[in-house]
Amino acid sequence: KAGRLEPLPHWDRFSAFAANRMAANRVKEQQRMADHATPNLPSRDFEATSRFYGSLGFTETWRDSGWMILKRGGLTLEFFPYPDLDPLQSSFGSCLRLDELQRFYDAALATGIREACSGMPRLHPPKLEQSGMRIGYMVDPDGTLLRLVQNG
């Protein structure tokens, strides 16, 4: 067959490798682009909010004068400035769904957040709720209620 190039002997292996690599990259891109929601919570002072959540293992991934994003593992919390917020009147809240609820709760206790029925910040210990879910509660310095829910 004159004029036709035959594939090199290793071409089939390379083609399979390239196809597998492209498929893996598509899966990674789909995972990265998966739909998700993040809570948008108030902050009277970004620096104070960052310090509070930083003590719980969150790190800042974005901050400008109008927005702040904090992450801890698979958790993302987004904050907007609300300097006039009265924490006692706040009705903001969110759920943190945790694989290791007790570990997170113990870490929060270790930072000095106390178990209490009033005041901010504060914790309420995890317990088995009527829903069958194990849930604890944390109120941050801005009065935001975070439900700490044990996954699975």
Side-chain angles (χ1 to χ4, degrees):
K1 301 186 178 171
R4 181 170 172 217
L5 294 176
E6 293 296 322
L8 298 173
H10 63 279
W11 180 250
D12 287 338
R13 281 184 299 212
F14 175 77
S15 294
F17 170 79
N20 285 337
R21 188 74 169 157
M22 288 188 305
N25 286 339
R26 279 192 302 274
V27 168
K28 282 182 187 176
E29 186 65 25
Q30 288 171 348
Q31 290 171 340
R32 202 173 341 174
M33 300 302 289
D35 292 344
H36 65 280
T38 58
N40 298 168
L41 305 172
S43 170
R44 291 177 295 161
D45 176 325
F46 280 171
E47 189 59 37
T49 299
S50 183
R51 277 194 312 273
F52 175 78
Y53 284 97
S55 73
L56 298 170
F58 286 83
T59 58
E60 268 187 41
T61 60
W62 172 263
R63 188 199 305 192
D64 64 16
S65 63
W67 208 256
M68 180 172 66
I69 301 173
L70 305 177
K71 292 187 178 187
R72 179 186 185 271
L75 300 173
T76 301
L77 301 175
E78 300 192 24
F79 294 88
F80 58 90
Y82 195 156
D84 299 329
L85 174 69
D86 177 353
L88 296 174
Q89 299 298 315
S90 177
S91 60
F92 290 93
S94 183
C95 291
L96 300 184
R97 306 222 175 238
L98 303 162
D99 289 334
E100 297 182 36
L101 166 58
Q102 194 61 52
R103 185 173 173 189
F104 182 89
Y105 189 84
D106 291 343
L109 280 173
T111 69
I113 303 171
R114 59 190 177 84
E115 290 180 337
C117 294
S118 63
M120 286 165 266
R122 70 176 181 269
L123 290 164
H124 299 263
K127 67 178 186 175
L128 192 60
E129 301 273 337
Q130 275 189 315
S131 64
M133 297 167 54
R134 187 167 164 77
I135 304 174
Y137 299 88
M138 180 174 74
V139 178
D140 79 3
D142 293 311
T144 296
L145 171 64
L146 295 166
R147 293 161 192 86
L148 311 174
V149 181
Q150 176 65 51
N151 281 335

